[in-house]
Amino acid sequence: MSKKTTGQQQKNEKTAGVCRYYAGGVWLNSHSEKRVNISDPSTGRVIAQTPHCTEEEIENAIAAAKAAYPAWRDKPAAERARVLFRLRDLLDQNLEPLAKLSALESGKAWADAVADIEKAKEATEIACSIPQLLMGESLMETFPGIDTVLYRESVGVFSGIVPFNFPAMIPMGWITPLCIACGNTIVLKAASLTPQTSMAIARLYASAGLPPGVLNIVTCAKEEADLLLSHPDIGGISFVGSTRVGRSVYTRGCAAGKRVQALCEAKNHALVLRDAPVEATAQAIVEAAFGSNGQRCMALPVVVAEEGIADRLAAAIVERAQNIKVGPAYDKKTEMGPVISQKHKDFVEGRIATGVEEGARLLLDGRGCQVPGYEGGFYIGPTVFDHVGPEMRVGNFEIFGPVLCVKRVRDFDEGLDLMNRNPFAKGASIFTAKGHYAREFQRRSDAGMVGVNMGIPAPLGIFPFSGHKESFFGDLHCLGKDGIRFFTDVKSVTTHWFPEEK
């Protein structure tokens, strides 16, 4: 980096605005001097700064959530739903500016940024039906003269800890809507690199009539975030991030007596059998592998191809991938934007170099990607490896970037066995025209979400977003009925009435 560039970067840092934290319905300035730069990945320019809130400031947010809980819990579910109905309309009305903000801070291409907001809206719509979702169970005459009713009740204060890659969908879709719809309050730790989108949606929540303290947002480092794992007033933790951190969050949270769901890394594989249509399959794979810059846990970074189709499939993938338009995220013609930071760009390019060293055949190299006029951006072009061996690290561990690996197998059984040996088990797909193999794959795959002729098998939010093995720690997944169970306790009430005395 030149002295001129360094000087401009320092000037940007001095002039960038500092985000505030949100506690008790008030936006507050942090007294912390520790800050993280928020960059526009498309240009590399610093656009804002995230403070690392102090322990006292996090305590303030937890106290606000605790104070707001009793009144919010006691509101009828239908009243809580009305707030979410109004929020849903506000998300619709503000789709364009919210998508622009998501693209600006995360580097998502415009279509992916719009989808980020739409997925937050989808989860909000599901939470709007909370009166039905909270309905319990009952049985008259469990014994003679005795009736039993099961109720679902709120838990208390939750903490949410989220990553950078979906600044709307994860904090304001997977976690917040169901959490507060069930009558809980929340302290959300927004991602330091992409906090502004969730903060903008928090303002919409306030406009929708959400009482102060029900939703609180902090930004902090690991040391301060420990409070969100151990504080006695926190009843549960919803985490999305790396497996290393997720395992620690789950272990420590459970040891502190809290319920925890930890959604972690993935290395999703797709098995392509020789009878699959090459062109349609290649298109689905390319969209799944390179959408959102490959920075999503449901990306498709590995294709397991039967030898009879592998050459044609690899060629079709490269043909499509090399024509993807890479550019600034907020240009609506861009098909793939930059990765989140220079640090992550270096990491992804390092993993590409590792793949070359391991002996994988590099068919398409995205390193050195330049976008005219945006030379400071963190760009990596689509990258495709072929002949990736079963033990190569490039094909077995999460890269979180636009890198696709092709592994070759002799048949269905070898392919499925290879896939199930991976330590992660979030998503898996099969491409085939044969119902027998499709059914066997569904039955025998280790993955929590399985697709047939689909690149990304994530279901609609009325079903849980599942994961197994090293991809998830906990008992109840986010969204779907699992999400309702995670954010509620059950209470059984048994009633006996004495017979009328004569």
Side-chain angles (χ1 to χ4, degrees):
M1 185 178 288
S2 68
K3 290 183 179 180
K4 181 179 179 181
T5 303
T6 303
Q8 183 62 46
Q9 185 83 347
Q10 291 173 343
K11 182 179 178 181
N12 287 341
E13 291 175 16
K14 290 179 181 178
T15 58
V18 180
C19 295
R20 292 178 290 174
Y21 74 102
Y22 188 52
V26 180
W27 292 97
L28 300 165
N29 292 317
S30 173
H31 293 99
S32 173
E33 295 183 357
K34 294 189 291 184
R35 297 171 183 173
V36 172
N37 289 333
I38 303 171
S39 295
D40 169 4
S42 298
T43 63
R45 182 174 62 87
V46 176
I47 55 175
Q49 291 187 318
T50 301
H52 281 172
C53 292
T54 65
E55 288 191 6
E56 291 77 12
E57 289 162 351
I58 295 171
E59 288 269 13
N60 180 31
I62 296 172
K66 181 181 179 182
Y69 172 63
W72 182 245
R73 171 199 62 199
D74 292 342
K75 282 189 180 295
E79 287 191 30
R80 298 196 296 265
R82 290 188 191 109
V83 173
L84 292 159
F85 273 114
R86 290 192 289 267
L87 175 70
R88 187 262 183 210
D89 290 343
L90 289 170
L91 289 172
D92 250 351
Q93 295 163 19
N94 291 273
L95 177 61
E96 186 101 358
L98 287 172
K100 184 175 181 180
L101 187 54
S102 175
L104 177 67
E105 64 177 358
S106 73
K108 288 181 180 297
W110 180 258
D112 292 324
V114 169
D116 185 29
I117 311 304
E118 292 281 6
K119 294 301 285 185
K121 188 180 74 172
E122 175 191 306
T124 303
E125 290 172 339
I126 293 167
C128 287
S129 61
I130 197 64
Q132 288 79 27
L133 295 173
L134 281 182
M135 289 174 67
E137 303 165 7
S138 62
L139 179 63
M140 185 175 286
E141 291 288 296
T142 52
F143 290 98
I146 295 176
D147 307 326
T148 301
V149 178
L150 180 148
Y151 296 100
R152 290 201 167 275
E153 298 185 323
S154 57
V155 175
V157 180
F158 279 81
S159 63
I161 303 173
V162 300
F164 68 83
N165 58 318
F166 281 89
M169 181 187 77
I170 295 177
M172 297 305 186
W174 288 4
I175 299 175
T176 300
L178 281 185
C179 177
I180 65 175
C182 289
N184 305 291
T185 58
I186 186 168
V187 179
L188 182 70
K189 179 195 172 299
S192 294
L193 296 178
T194 58
Q196 297 173 106
T197 305
S198 56
M199 290 177 173
I201 295 176
R203 293 183 174 92
L204 296 183
Y205 263 109
S207 298
L210 188 70
V214 176
L215 169 60
N216 308 273
I217 299 180
V218 298
T219 51
C220 58
K222 176 185 178 300
E223 294 74 21
E224 293 81 16
D226 284 348
L227 266 177
L228 299 174
L229 309 181
S230 60
H231 198 285
D233 292 335
I234 297 288
I237 305 160
S238 185
F239 169 87
V240 183
S242 72
T243 292
R244 178 184 62 82
V245 178
R247 183 184 290 108
S248 175
V249 168
Y250 178 71
T251 301
R252 296 175 59 201
C254 289
K258 307 179 189 312
R259 60 183 65 194
V260 183
Q261 55 179 197
L263 288 76
C264 301
E265 293 174 38
K267 193 71 172 182
N268 305 319
H269 286 48
L271 176 59
V272 182
L273 301 186
R274 66 181 68 238
D275 65 307
V278 173
E279 300 301 322
T281 299
Q283 184 61 38
I285 288 169
V286 166
E287 291 173 359
F290 303 117
S292 288
N293 328 340
Q295 295 179 141
R296 56 185 177 190
C297 64
M298 287 305 292
L300 180 59
V302 182
V303 172
V304 181
E306 253 192 314
E307 283 288 0
I309 199 175
D311 286 341
R312 289 180 294 142
L313 181 66
I317 288 171
V318 170
E319 179 183 358
R320 284 163 174 75
Q322 65 189 0
N323 290 320
I324 291 175
K325 179 176 174 55
V326 179
Y330 26 77
D331 183 340
K332 295 182 180 181
K333 295 180 181 179
T334 292
E335 295 173 308
M336 192 176 88
V339 296
I340 187 65
S341 66
Q342 183 64 50
K343 179 180 179 182
H344 192 57
K345 178 184 176 183
D346 293 342
F347 171 80
V348 174
E349 291 185 339
R351 285 298 178 96
I352 296 171
T354 296
V356 174
E357 292 167 5
E358 290 177 320
R361 186 179 300 173
L362 187 58
L363 302 183
L364 185 62
D365 190 351
R367 292 173 296 180
C369 179
Q370 292 287 325
V371 176
Y374 295 87
E375 288 77 11
F378 313 129
Y379 296 99
I380 302 174
T383 298
V384 180
F385 281 105
D386 195 3
H387 294 279
V388 176
E391 304 306 321
M392 292 182 182
R393 288 171 293 173
V394 71
N396 288 328
F397 296 99
E398 188 175 69
I399 296 176
F400 223 57
V403 181
L404 175 64
C405 298
V406 178
K407 300 178 180 180
R408 295 173 176 235
V409 293
R410 291 186 298 272
D411 54 29
F412 171 84
D413 288 309
E414 182 184 351
L416 181 60
D417 179 66
L418 183 151
M419 295 169 75
N420 283 343
R421 289 204 309 270
N422 192 269
F424 305 105
K426 185 161 286 185
S429 293
I430 184 170
F431 287 86
T432 181
K434 294 183 178 178
H436 167 73
Y437 287 120
R439 183 180 183 277
E440 282 298 292
F441 187 82
Q442 295 171 56
R443 190 173 67 85
R444 292 163 53 187
S445 173
D446 287 347
M449 290 172 281
V450 175
V452 177
N453 298 324
M454 294 184 66
I456 298 181
L460 197 68
I462 55 176
F463 295 95
F465 189 89
S466 305
H468 299 152
K469 292 160 65 172
E470 295 289 293
S471 292
F472 180 77
F473 301 101
D475 300 304
L476 296 167
H477 298 85
C478 76
L479 298 175
K481 292 180 180 178
D482 267 21
I484 297 296
R485 295 186 184 108
F486 180 73
F487 288 119
T488 56
D489 273 331
V490 293
K491 177 185 288 181
S492 296
V493 178
T494 301
T495 304
H496 172 248
W497 294 103
F498 295 111
E500 184 176 351
E501 294 183 0
K502 296 182 180 179

